[in-house]
């Protein structure tokens, strides 16, 4: 079940067609931090209750970064079995990272939140490291299909959206992968703020792995196979704040001394004088399935898909903007930056190549808009449909076409028509709101007409900037608005 969940979430970031979000988009919305930021308190309550009943099953079944760590840990086990050892909890370190995370979340320091949020880290890893290979494979299939006069596949551009984000992704997967390969869930139990929060709740969980000292022969197999390093076989105790309910200890114990059940005593981790029970090795699959079904049953998120255009390949430089452009539905800079976790699901889903990670230190890796490769088509609402954290609120097509996210600015010295080189009206012809009109130049009735912008009608879609033939900078660029408004 865990592998299926991780594979589905991975495909959400790899899918450039938008088809899979209709079926699996809810998996992004049940991640803890996005659910909190989006105000989905039903989901938060379900995850809290699930933890209070079953323990940290979220970390084993729902969190994709946790599942990814298990993959690296399994690779480490191929080299050496029974490789783990009990280690005391690093509580000071855990709570320091949690405090930093909460302070960053409250004060709106998105770059720190983005670095520590587990779901966001996984999303960046997939988007920056796996997506290029996925698209190259698709393009190869498109090439072969074209040879047979089939159009089942189409080519998609592969381009570097942010070199800095790529470096961060490489460092993230390297550090987390090495820690997992070396000693299992070290990152989950020492750094991850979500793991620390759920670890506090799991101390009081109803169902827990319990050691029966009357059956235990102190062989230590459970401790040497615990990827959370939370079983002290000498003391017959389990640190439930770090246990991720993988149940490896139950399946490896040859004496059946560990069972997953209601813990009768909070003072000691043991049960006495209990009848022999057969170990059900299918229990972990049943538990994982129950957890997923419980989450899905209370989630009422409907995903929509819309067709979007393909980004036009152009060779332009990014103009310097005083205010970053945020997508329609973001409401404005403050709302967007305080809710966005920089998971980059919207970046991977954007069919027009408009969104890319920010290089600004304050909003590091949060998406912003630029129009060198395409423009934001009024009929496309893909980013608002896939955002799990509420940073981009869901908008329909009619609503989006009336939301002003910025306004166009004309640069006379860059304009072909203003320099009387040639007649050009690309910006006016392609403006979807009719905000640009071509007028005569002052005192030059015979000269080519130049654009005049009605900023009250402009919505900041970037069609004029994208389709302007001027090089290397467009004669028209879009300046973002700090607060969006409806025209």
């Amino acid at each position: 079940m865990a592998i299926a969940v991780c594979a589905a979430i991975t495909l959400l970031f790899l899918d450039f067609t938008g088809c899979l979000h209709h079926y699996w988009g809810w998996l992004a919305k049940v991640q803890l931090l996005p659910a909190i930021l989006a105000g989905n308190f039903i989901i938060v309550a379900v995850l809290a209750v699930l933890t209070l009943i079953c323990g940290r099953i979220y970390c084993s079944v729902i969190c994709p970064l946790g599942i990814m760590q298990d993959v690296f840990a399994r690779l480490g086990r191929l080299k050496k079995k029974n490789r783990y050892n009990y280690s005391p909890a690093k509580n000071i370190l855990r709570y320091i990272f949690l405090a930093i995370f909460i302070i960053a979340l409250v004060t709106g320091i998105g770059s720190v939140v983005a670095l520590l949020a587990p779901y966001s880290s996984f999303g960046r890893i997939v988007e920056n490291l796996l997506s290029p290979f996925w698209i190259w494979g698709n393009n190869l299939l498109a090439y072969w299909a074209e040879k047979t006069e089939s159009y089942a596949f189409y080519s998609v551009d592969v381009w570097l959206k942010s070199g800095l984000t790529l470096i961060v992704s490489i460092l993230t997967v390297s550090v987390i992968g090495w820690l997992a390969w070396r000693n299992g869930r070290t990152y989950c139990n020492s750094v991850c703020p979500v793991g620390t929060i759920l670890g506090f709740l799991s101390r009081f969980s109803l169902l827990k792995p319990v050691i029966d000292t009357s059956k235990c022969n102190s062989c230590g197999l459970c401790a040497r196979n615990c990827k959370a390093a939370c079983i002290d076989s000498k003391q017959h105790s389990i640190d439930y704040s770090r246990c991720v309910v993988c149940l490896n200890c139950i399946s490896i114990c040859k004496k059946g001394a560990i069972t997953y059940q209601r813990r009768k005593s909070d003072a000691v981790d043991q049960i006495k004088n209990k009848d022999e029970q057969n170990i059900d090795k299918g229990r972990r699959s049943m538990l994982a399935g129950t957890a997923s079904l419980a989450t899905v049953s209370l989630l009422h998120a409907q995903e929509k898909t819309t067709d979007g255009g393909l980004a036009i390949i152009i060779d332009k430089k990014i103009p310097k903007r005083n205010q970053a452009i945020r997508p329609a539905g973001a409401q404005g800079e403050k709302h967007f930056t305080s809710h966005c976790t920089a998971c980059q699901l919207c970046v991977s889903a954007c069919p027009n190549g408009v969104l890319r990670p920010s290089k600004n230190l304050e909003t590091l890796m949060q998406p912003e808009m630029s129009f060198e490769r395409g423009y934001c088509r009024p009929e496309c609402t893909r980013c608002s449909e896939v955002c799990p954290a509420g940073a981009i609120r869901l908008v329909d097509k009619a609503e989006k076409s009336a939301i002003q996210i910025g306004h166009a600015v004309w640069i006379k010295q860059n304009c072909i028509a203003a320099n009387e080189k040639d007649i050009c009206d690309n910006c006016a012809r392609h403006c979807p709101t009719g905000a640009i009109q071509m007028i005569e130049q002052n005192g030059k009735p015979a000269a080519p007409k130049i654009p005049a912008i009605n900023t009250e009608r402009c919505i900041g879609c970037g069609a004029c900037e994208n389709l302007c033939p001027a090089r290397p900078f467009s004669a028209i660029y879009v300046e973002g608005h700090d607060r969006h408004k409806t025209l």
Side-chain angles (χ1 to χ4, degrees), residues 13-74:
F13 287 92
L14 297 177
D15 176 38
F16 51 82
T17 65
C19 298
L20 297 182
H21 287 276
H22 180 75
Y23 304 101
W24 299 335
W26 60 269
L27 287 171
K29 298 182 185 295
V30 299
Q31 303 301 316
L32 183 59
L33 181 59
I36 293 174
L37 294 176
N40 292 328
F41 297 113
I42 293 179
I43 296 175
V44 175
V46 169
L47 294 177
V49 171
L50 190 64
T51 304
L52 289 172
I53 294 175
C54 302
R56 285 176 57 183
I57 194 170
Y58 171 92
C59 298
S60 286
V61 180
I62 301 176
C63 177
L65 191 69
I67 301 170
M68 186 192 78
Q69 290 177 73
D70 289 344
V71 174
F72 283 107
R74 186 170 289 273

Side-chain angles (χ1 to χ4, degrees), residues 334-347:
K334 183 177 180 180
H335 174 271
F336 181 82
T337 55
S338 62
H339 286 76
C340 179
T341 63
C343 71
Q344 296 182 23
L345 186 57
C346 59
V347 175

